[in-house]
Amino acid sequence: MKPSAPKLAAIGSAGFGAGGVSLASLAITPEEFASRRRQLMQMAGDDAVMLVAAAPERMRNADAAWPYRQDSDFHYLTGFPEPEAVLALLPGRQHGEAVLFCRERDPTHERWHGESIGTDRAVAEFGMDDAFPIEDIDDILPGMIEGRARVYCHFGSEPEFDARLLGWMRRLRQLRGGGVVPKEFVALGHLLHDLRLYKSRAELKLMRASASIAVDAHLAALQVAVSGRREYEVEAELLSVMRSRGAVSAFAPTVASGVNACVMHYQSNRAALRDGELLLIDAGAELDCYASDISRTFPIGGRYSREQRALYEVVLAAQLAAIDEVRPGHPFNAPHVAAVRVLAEGLCELGLLKGSADAAIADESYKRFFPAKTGHWLGMDVHDVGDYRVGGESRVLEPDMVLTVEPGLYIPPDDRSVAERWRGIGIRIEDDVAVTRDGNEVLTERMPKEAEAIEALLAAR
């Protein structure tokens, strides 16, 4: 069942094209973050406590850290961008239900790492009811937990936080007179991830902006993807456009030319581009922790060969059929079922599979060329949270859910059961699709995918 929609403050409009985006007009308001926290506490009950930790800083090597990215659940509830923080939600607490433990201002630390937010701004700007220095959490939090029946948390995700949590339980048992220790640890994701599955108006605006930035990046990459260049040069163009628009890459891009496109999660991005081959690009932008995910496949030399075009048209038809199934009341797997039907019929028509499409689906022989699913949830994570099945059945799509639709065909270069002219062709077409009240909205529709439109763009390079 869809949670009740939070009351949102008005969000200004912004241009999402080459001129960039106005991050201020797209920002999710403190009121919306507070509404999410209230919804979660109502779902958990007054006798529970919810604990969510910020993502730790992770080291790349030696003393060099990876660029920091906040934990998605923590960001969803707070918008707070720093590490070394813990959110405690305490329904019914007289002095405030939303309590943040975070780094306090420290001139020495700030000289090296920049200004910290601190406890005062956590309350004033991030809407927390109360805030304490993270250094004091061991002394303060156990007393706040005392008397609660259940602790909702992500136990098992971060061993260091798990150890601290168990330490707080031990400390609570040692309180004078014996503290009342919660008797249950409950997986927080069961409640929180169902909230995240439904996107608010503000979230959808961010996702449209993220999608538009990704489209700009793909269009720019298409212009430089010519014979003789390397896959990493195309990747560099993608990343350059994303960063110039205030976004980062939502995941390591796949830039796969020729037979590399038959590797589902190709990451090397080092091969040379050659005329006569296809280039598959799978890349998305992340804007303020919201992701997009686009795949396109186009001919490096500017025109599809006969075999490439034939397979491309099959994949495109499958994708259009799948998108048409993204509508309220349809099961999540309906786009996959539709795509598989079109792919199987196309493979049989072209002679890559023998017999009928019904047989290819029944015996799953189509999986030789399409071993994947047709999509996944999309949101703060590229493969976003949310159950795909409920009560043993495929989940029913509802308005404000967002998913990808990405059928493909991948003919292994060493598959001698097909004629040589088909071997080594890999094609994927992927768009981001939001479920609306009466159908769907393709967030990435500005990125061309018809073969004629792609060839026209390449001819104009």
Side-chain angles (χ1 to χ4, degrees), residues 331-385:
F332 176 85
N333 69 347
H336 179 68
V337 171
V340 166
R341 166 60 60 180
V342 176
L343 292 175
E345 290 174 350
L347 289 168
C348 291
E349 245 181 69
L350 295 173
L352 279 79
L353 289 177
K354 308 302 180 186
S356 69
D358 288 338
I361 294 170
D363 64 18
E364 297 187 332
S365 58
Y366 73 88
K367 287 187 175 182
R368 287 168 48 203
F369 307 121
F370 181 48
K373 294 297 184 182
T374 303
H376 51 78
W377 300 129
L378 183 69
M380 299 185 72
D381 299 333
V382 177
H383 287 250
D384 208 27
V385 295

Side-chain angles (χ1 to χ4, degrees), residues 49 88 90 93 99 101 130 132 140-148:
V49 57
L90 303 148
R93 178 175 178 263
V99 178
F101 294 86
D130 212 346
F132 299 94
I140 297 174
L141 187 58
M144 292 180 170
I145 295 174
E146 184 180 8
R148 305 274 170 170

